[in-house]
Amino acid sequence: MIGSVKGTRDLLPPETRVWGRVEETAREVFALHGFEEVRTPVLEPTELFVRTVGEATDIVHKEMYTFVDRGGRSVTLRPENTAGVARALVEHGLVQAAGVRKLWYAGPQFRYERPQKGRYREFRQIGAEVLGAADAATDAELLVMLFDFLGRLGFTGLAVSLNSVGTQECRPAFVEALRAYLEPFAGRMGDDDLRRLKDNPLRVLDTKDPAVKEVLPGAPQMVDHLDPASRAHHEELLALLSDAAIPFRIEPRLVRGLDYYTRTVFEVTAGGLGAQDALLGGGRYDRLVSDLGGPRTPGIGFAIGEDRLVDVLPQAFREEALASFAPVALVAIEPADRPSALALARTLRAAGISVDLDPAGKGPGAALKAAGKRGCRRAVLLGQREREAGTAVVKDLVERTQAEVPQAELTAYLKG
RNA sequence: GUGAGAGUAGCUCAGUCGGUAGAGCAUCGGACUGUGGCUCCGACGGUCGCGGGUUCGAACCCCGUCUCUCACCCCA
């Protein structure tokens, strides 16, 4: 037997109904906020991610599916989607100084990691990006949209964790201040934190080591080292979110794993996800487009881990989605009933009723049993008697009741 | 890349001291040729993840390997 590749999985019915509903909801909500869909290739030039996500990041360093294609080009299965969206906009000349682009996407991403709860090698993200707007109001509106989406899925009690990581100009000074503060404590650090201290001291703020956590409250904070413009941006965002009643937490130690973030960064965590508890993450990336050779264009976006989202989806939304697929089973009792069954199916479908046509053969008993297992809630039976009377028997498979209905009234009966 | 646990029928699992494998559910057939879910009877179904070793003999012990689960790392 050939199994699926490690860390990938098949999504099968009825679970795919839930995924479909989540994606439909995203499409609706995002459209209400003026976002349009964008689809970019799964395969991108390796250089795209090296330049944007950052050569020193774990994603680029050890998690990418990178290979040389038959033409000798180094290509990579995208580990995230923001770089691809930015690349596409630059390539097609769609970023102009004056224009604002609001886009969303949904699709598979790939990272070569050891699978565990909430983490797969192929995973799906639903994300949105705003390019061409640098103001705090844009950040706020993006988060408003995000919470509108989460709210429609039925999530309650979620809050967004917020921080500012400053800019390329003010961050180095902070990093040095942090390093200077942490170095005296190197003696109590394990190998992981020593490596972080050397390569990327910001990551030490994320440590899980209790001995190191102990000294973090005294560490310098990024918010105290922001340049005046970044500070003003941060404070304006907090005020706007308060006004909009978006639940947020200021998280001075929040850092992100992608190099391209500037100023605003955020994430939402959720219970029930195990150790990988980040449901979504995002932030501002004011240098990304220019780093790709485009005009200087600010941007901000988020990416939701769809696998994780579905994993902790509120029960009511899940149940509604599962119940949303319930075609009417149309049973031709004898082979002679097939022509009229086909014609009737066509009429019902034209009226917007989902019809699952059962093959004649094993008798109505077997057909009804099979229909119930497929999730049909109602069945329409057609046999010689009905054919002669111009009627059909409509059976409620849940209530176990039935009624004989004139075929001319069937559409109205089934819709009513 | 590191660590821990697990892999037996389609699914959930049992399998004693090492003696050539079982249950429930599901599936199929029958009781029941125009009305399902309950019940009863029967059948189908396994290279015990894979490979090697120890042994007269391995689902069971040993080694390797693959996959899954969880955690580290990292992130969505």
Side-chain angles (χ1 to χ4, degrees):
Chain A
M1 188 190 69
I2 298 175
S4 68
V5 169
K6 178 171 179 164
T8 69
R9 54 192 186 143
D10 300 306
L11 302 175
L12 304 169
E15 187 66 9
T16 41
R17 298 176 197 167
V18 177
W19 286 72
R21 274 296 226 233
V22 167
E23 288 156 18
E24 281 166 22
T25 304
R27 179 180 297 275
E28 277 171 34
V29 174
F30 296 169
L32 285 172
H33 287 79
F35 284 68
E36 281 211 275
E37 185 181 8
V38 60
R39 303 190 191 196
T40 63
V42 165
L43 210 51
E44 293 277 8
T46 301
E47 183 63 15
L48 175 64
F49 304 112
V50 174
R51 288 253 298 269
T52 58
V53 173
E55 195 152 18
T57 61
D58 277 16
I59 291 176
V60 169
H61 193 235
K62 58 183 200 185
E63 296 174 2
M64 294 207 304
Y65 278 92
T66 295
F67 61 96
V68 176
D69 73 9
R70 289 169 189 272
R73 297 168 281 260
S74 180
V75 294
T76 294
L77 295 178
R78 63 184 182 201
E80 59 98 52
N81 219 143
T82 299
V85 170
R87 193 222 83 237
L89 293 181
V90 171
E91 182 169 343
H92 298 285
L94 296 175
V95 275
Q96 301 299 330
V100 175
R101 291 273 163 181
K102 296 157 79 173
L103 298 164
W104 69 274
Y105 61 82
Q109 320 291 335
F110 301 84
R111 292 182 200 175
Y112 190 88
E113 302 179 86
R114 278 282 278 272
Q116 70 182 71
K117 185 172 175 62
R119 196 172 71 182
Y120 306 95
R121 289 184 172 181
E122 180 191 31
F123 60 102
R124 289 111 189 137
Q125 286 187 334
I126 297 175
E129 316 284 353
V130 181
L131 285 108
D135 54 307
T138 298
D139 301 20
E141 200 198 357
L142 187 75
L143 290 169
V144 164
M145 178 173 86
L146 179 60
F147 274 80
D148 188 358
F149 175 56
L150 295 173
R152 285 177 199 234
L153 298 180
F155 284 100
T156 55
L158 293 180
V160 59
S161 301
L162 268 179
N163 193 18
S164 174
V165 293
T167 63
Q168 215 109 26
E169 286 71 45
C170 65
R171 201 182 312 160
F174 168 66
V175 169
E176 279 324 301
L178 182 62
R179 196 196 302 271
Y181 171 82
L182 289 172
E183 253 160 7
F185 301 109
R188 64 167 73 196
M189 292 184 187
D191 289 346
D192 283 334
D193 283 324
L194 284 174
R195 180 175 48 76
R196 290 173 175 140
L197 180 59
K198 181 170 170 289
D199 297 340
N200 188 355
L202 289 175
R203 299 230 65 92
V204 179
L205 297 173
D206 235 2
T207 188
K208 290 178 182 171
D209 184 344
V212 180
K213 266 185 166 171
E214 231 171 56
V215 308
L216 292 181
Q221 299 199 341
M222 185 71 232
V223 287
D224 298 324
H225 289 73
L226 294 176
D227 57 80
S230 292
R231 169 183 295 278
H233 183 99
H234 187 57
E235 283 169 2
E236 187 186 352
L237 174 58
L238 300 183
L240 287 166
L241 291 177
S242 294
D243 285 350
I246 298 297
F248 67 88
R249 265 195 304 269
I250 300 169
E251 205 73 64
R253 296 204 281 273
L254 177 66
V255 290
R256 312 250 78 230
L258 288 73
D259 279 357
Y260 55 59
Y261 286 121
T262 52
R263 292 189 173 170
T264 307
V265 294
F266 57 88
E267 70 176 25
V268 172
T269 59
L273 286 173
Q276 310 301 316
D277 62 354
L279 190 59
L280 63 94
R284 180 160 278 289
Y285 45 85
D286 291 341
R287 298 178 53 98
L288 178 59
V289 171
S290 54
D291 283 351
L292 288 174
R296 267 193 293 170
T297 309
I300 182 169
F302 62 75
I304 303 169
E306 192 176 1
D307 302 76
R308 295 177 185 179
L309 186 74
V310 168
D311 195 31
V312 295
L313 203 56
Q315 195 60 27
F317 188 92
R318 161 173 290 277
E319 281 168 10
E320 192 278 325
L322 289 173
S324 68
F325 182 84
V328 172
L330 182 52
V331 179
I333 290 172
E334 291 159 23
D337 299 311
R338 289 189 111 166
S340 48
L342 276 168
L344 182 57
R346 194 173 199 174
T347 304
L348 295 177
R349 287 168 180 154
I353 296 169
S354 295
V355 176
D356 200 1
L357 193 58
D358 277 86
K362 289 180 179 171
L368 289 172
K369 185 175 180 179
K373 285 192 174 145
R374 281 198 308 273
C376 297
R377 281 202 296 259
R378 289 183 298 185
V380 172
L381 293 95
L382 273 184
Q384 189 186 356
R385 290 206 295 264
E386 291 78 19
R387 208 163 58 230
E388 287 167 359
T391 61
V393 169
V394 179
K395 211 169 154 59
D396 188 312
L397 298 176
V398 178
E399 303 292 322
R400 312 201 62 162
T401 57
Q402 67 179 53
E404 192 161 349
V405 179
Q407 284 192 25
E409 298 168 21
L410 198 55
T411 299
Y413 183 88
L414 289 171
K415 283 193 152 181

